[in-house]
Amino acid sequence: NVGIGTSGTPAEELEISADAPSIQLSSSNTNGRNYGFQSTNSGKFAFYDGTAGVNRIIIDSGGLATFSNGIIQELEIKFILY
């Protein structure tokens, strides 16, 4: 297990501990954009557009998602692994 900013043994394969931990994916292509994921200080999970500097989707602890256009929806997310 790998820990970044953790104290002690990480609980998962990758654990990042910070005030508002985030992961950013930065494109090196001239037409690319930067996107990221963040665990916010208010207990929400955000998908943000680092190029535009805005959150695109914010999910609260109850599973409600707010989209950047102001629409609020309850999400059911399923992952399919191949």
Side-chain angles (χ1 to χ4, degrees), residues 46-70:
F47 294 91
Y48 64 89
D49 180 336
T51 304
V54 297
N55 287 321
R56 296 298 183 188
I57 304 171
I58 300 172
I59 303 172
D60 69 17
S61 61
L64 290 178
T66 302
F67 294 83
S68 60
N69 60 5

Side-chain angles (χ1 to χ4, degrees), residues 7 12 16 20 23 28 40-42 47 58 60 62 75:
S7 60
E12 300 294 336
I16 301 172
I23 297 173
S28 61
T40 69
N41 289 330
S42 60
F47 294 91
I58 300 172
D60 69 17
L75 295 180

Side-chain angles (χ1 to χ4, degrees), residues 16-81:
I16 301 172
S17 182
D19 185 39
S22 62
I23 297 173
Q24 181 157 319
L25 308 172
S26 299
S27 175
S28 61
N29 185 291
T30 57
N31 296 318
R33 297 184 72 85
N34 300 329
Y35 291 100
F37 313 95
Q38 182 180 38
S39 176
T40 69
N41 289 330
S42 60
K44 297 176 182 174
F45 182 72
F47 294 91
Y48 64 89
D49 180 336
T51 304
V54 297
N55 287 321
R56 296 298 183 188
I57 304 171
I58 300 172
I59 303 172
D60 69 17
S61 61
L64 290 178
T66 302
F67 294 83
S68 60
N69 60 5
I71 295 174
I72 299 174
Q73 293 184 346
E74 187 170 356
L75 295 180
E76 180 179 337
I77 299 174
K78 297 180 181 178
F79 292 96
I80 300 173
L81 301 176

